[in-house]
Amino acid sequence: MNLSDVEARLGRDRTVLLTLLVLSLLASLCWAGLVLGGLVLSSQPLAEATATAVTAAAAANGPATGAATTAPSLAYQAAQLALVFLTWAGLCTALMLPLASRATVLFARLAGDRAAQRARRCTALFVLGYLGAWTGFALLAAIAQWTLHESAPSGAVRHPLLLGLIMVAAGVYQWTPAKHACLEHCRAPLPGILAGWRDGLAGALGRGAAHARQCLGCCWLLMLLLLATGPDNPAAIAVVGLFVLAEIRLASGHLIACAGGLALLAMGTRLLFP
């Protein structure tokens, strides 16, 4: 092995190490954001009660005062929706980014083999494409939660029929070929990364988004189960996170997915037919 080969190998190893450090830092920051978001969301009932009292007082004082409070009320709602979105985005990043570490490291090594001088930028764009797809999912989930919740302290959805339908759908989906195809991609991402490989920065961004689509296909209904508790409930996050981790990392992941599907189907049926 000549000197140039050794330097190229060291460059690839530095890229992989830097990638792992950045992923760990991002995940840690998002977990810290989830804790902070939970503390802020837990204070919402008092703020909502205050806003309701102010609105009622304005209505009693006359239309002029009521009109003056319309803009602050809309601003308050927009701020709360933004907070819910940030909580969902932090949740998706904290849960899914560590699970994408294997695919990211594989991509970093491949990018280093093909273009060592651009390996770090390509890897960063791969992660950005991955997070971009999950951010879109977080926005949709935040809108759904904001629309359906009943002012619970955690923003939880309190519609047993809807939650039962989500559980039944998630349970059935755990047995479908689409679920297991996406799960296999997450368990062994190398063939999927190589299949659509394109050199360049745009190709890296597209590969990250494509990998995220497979992960979404595997986990999106499981993530929507958090509508039942709100995205800042640590116990629910732990249950969903450990289940997804077991599916992807354990040797019997496909069997675990099917067993979880049966459990979700049973719980959803119990909610639909109490």
Side-chain angles (χ1 to χ4, degrees):
M1 181 179 292
N2 56 39
L3 183 60
S4 60
D5 291 337
V6 172
E7 291 176 348
R9 178 64 181 271
L10 290 175
R12 289 194 296 270
D13 290 343
R14 284 195 295 268
T15 298
V16 171
L17 179 59
L18 181 63
T19 299
L20 289 174
L21 289 175
V22 170
L23 293 181
S24 300
L25 178 61
L26 282 175
S28 300
L29 289 175
C30 287
W31 281 115
L34 283 176
V35 173
L36 179 61
L39 294 175
V40 175
L41 286 175
S42 64
S43 65
Q44 280 190 8
L46 178 59
E48 290 174 357
T50 303
T52 303
V54 170
T55 303
N61 290 334
T65 309
T69 60
T70 300
S73 177
L74 291 176
Y76 172 82
Q77 293 178 6
Q80 296 305 311
L81 177 58
L83 178 60
V84 173
F85 164 68
L86 291 175
T87 305
W88 270 103
L91 169 65
C92 292
T93 302
L95 279 182
M96 305 312 300
L97 192 57
L99 294 177
S101 59
R102 179 182 297 175
T104 306
V105 168
L106 288 172
F107 182 87
R109 290 190 180 277
L110 291 171
D113 288 337
R114 293 171 180 264
Q117 68 275 14
R118 295 194 298 177
R120 293 181 183 178
R121 282 181 291 171
C122 288
T123 304
L125 286 173
F126 178 86
V127 174
L128 184 62
Y130 183 83
L131 292 179
W134 276 105
T135 301
F137 172 82
L139 178 61
L140 295 177
I143 293 173
Q145 180 191 341
W146 185 253
T147 303
L148 297 172
H149 88 286
E150 294 181 353
S151 300
S154 63
V157 176
R158 303 299 187 190
H159 296 275
L161 179 61
L162 176 61
L163 294 176
L165 288 174
I166 293 176
M167 285 187 175
V168 168
V172 171
Y173 185 70
Q174 291 291 107
W175 286 78
T176 61
K179 160 71 181 188
H180 288 273
C182 293
L183 177 59
E184 186 58 30
H185 174 89
C186 294
R187 290 169 58 84
L190 182 58
I193 292 176
L194 288 174
W197 185 273
R198 286 193 303 148
D199 289 327
L201 302 180
L205 189 67
R207 277 295 82 210
H211 181 63
R213 287 196 297 269
Q214 295 290 338
C215 294
L216 275 167
C218 177
C219 306
W220 71 281
L221 274 171
L222 294 174
M223 295 290 285
L224 283 183
L225 292 175
L226 294 175
L227 287 171
T229 61
D232 60 326
N233 186 293
I237 293 173
V239 170
V240 173
L242 289 174
F243 181 75
V244 173
L245 179 65
E247 280 187 328
I248 294 176
R249 292 289 186 255
L250 297 184
S252 56
H254 289 280
L255 293 178
I256 292 172
C258 292
L262 288 177
L264 288 170
L265 188 60
M267 290 186 292
T269 303
R270 183 176 178 85
L271 282 176
L272 293 176
F273 305 99

